[in-house]
Amino acid sequence: MLKQKHFIDSHKVATAFAVLGLMAWTENWSNTTAWVYFGLHGAYGVMWMMKSRIFGDKQWNQKTGPAYGLVIWIALTGYWSAPYLILTTNFEAPAWFLGVAIFIYAIGIFFHFTADMQKHIALTLRPRELITDGIWKRSRNPNYFGELLIYLGFTSLAWHWFPVVWLAAMIVAVWVPNMLRKDKSLSRYEKFASYRKSSAWLVPYIF
């Protein structure tokens, strides 16, 4: 039985191999920015796969066919435009920017995986209670906030508009509808109105 997560997880893991393949294709094994990209996006793909197996999000358990699975793969492959641009132009990001990108990415990793782990534990122990504490206290979507920082961390390494525009398109087409759908679902809880007033939609304390 094919599920959305099978296509998502396989693509995430394939990212590291795709970057190495681009290095081989361009015969460019000495680009520092490309190796940083490999480390960031490649590691994220492996961590996502492990998360999917240990405390994955149930929304990706929806059944799907090969056709829609191909759509998922095509959509996610758009992110590979960043390493393609880095390697085909042999772009080297300034050292200071590599540090900033890694810093942003690391903060994102904390928010994304901590939020999903807390949600998994809370739904297991208190399945009929609204999660309003911990990392979910000041943001109703700390996992998506973390993912935003993660993707900004490695897509920005190309210093090109296309990977950022692709990320923005994915946010509008996938992330925003999911977050709006979740708010609507949580509105059935009596405490949701007060929780909504005390928490941000995405970025803690800001928005």
Side-chain angles (χ1 to χ4, degrees), residues 29-40:
W29 298 98
S30 59
N31 187 291
T32 302
T33 303
W35 278 111
V36 171
Y37 187 96
F38 165 81
L40 298 184

Side-chain angles (χ1 to χ4, degrees), residues 145-196:
F145 172 60
E147 202 161 13
L148 174 62
L149 296 182
I150 290 169
Y151 276 93
L152 283 176
F154 51 67
T155 56
S156 62
L157 290 175
W159 272 30
H160 195 279
W161 61 268
F162 184 82
V164 178
V165 169
W166 191 269
L167 172 60
M170 291 292 287
I171 290 173
V172 171
V174 181
W175 298 14
V176 170
N178 282 345
M179 289 187 282
L180 292 175
R181 194 179 303 115
K182 191 182 76 173
D183 260 12
K184 185 177 180 180
S185 175
L186 295 180
S187 64
R188 70 184 187 275
Y189 289 98
E190 183 179 346
K191 296 180 180 179
F192 181 73
S194 60
Y195 174 51
R196 186 172 185 175

Side-chain angles (χ1 to χ4, degrees), residues 36-194:
V36 171
Y37 187 96
F38 165 81
L40 298 184
H41 201 169
Y44 167 66
V46 174
M47 285 187 283
W48 175 284
M49 184 272 292
M50 291 190 293
K51 181 193 75 166
S52 178
R53 289 178 174 273
I54 302 170
F55 55 99
D57 196 320
K58 292 182 179 180
Q59 71 170 316
W60 306 125
N61 284 333
Q62 299 178 53
K63 299 177 183 178
T64 190
Y68 188 67
L70 180 61
V71 171
I72 292 174
W73 256 75
I74 292 173
L76 294 177
T77 298
Y79 292 122
W80 294 352
S81 59
Y84 172 83
L85 289 165
I86 293 169
L87 287 161
T88 55
T89 63
N90 198 30
F91 173 72
E92 287 282 9
W96 67 268
F97 190 75
L98 293 178
V100 170
I102 294 171
F103 181 89
I104 292 172
Y105 169 89
I107 299 298
I109 288 291
F110 171 80
F111 271 91
H112 179 68
F113 288 93
T114 300
D116 276 358
M117 173 58 84
Q118 182 185 349
K119 181 175 71 172
H120 172 75
I121 294 174
L123 291 177
T124 300
L125 300 178
R126 299 176 285 140
R128 287 176 291 278
E129 291 185 28
L130 185 65
I131 307 171
T132 60
D133 58 351
I135 203 167
W136 293 83
K137 185 175 183 179
R138 298 303 177 187
S139 171
R140 298 194 300 282
N141 294 284
N143 49 348
Y144 276 108
F145 172 60
E147 202 161 13
L148 174 62
L149 296 182
I150 290 169
Y151 276 93
L152 283 176
F154 51 67
T155 56
S156 62
L157 290 175
W159 272 30
H160 195 279
W161 61 268
F162 184 82
V164 178
V165 169
W166 191 269
L167 172 60
M170 291 292 287
I171 290 173
V172 171
V174 181
W175 298 14
V176 170
N178 282 345
M179 289 187 282
L180 292 175
R181 194 179 303 115
K182 191 182 76 173
D183 260 12
K184 185 177 180 180
S185 175
L186 295 180
S187 64
R188 70 184 187 275
Y189 289 98
E190 183 179 346
K191 296 180 180 179
F192 181 73
S194 60

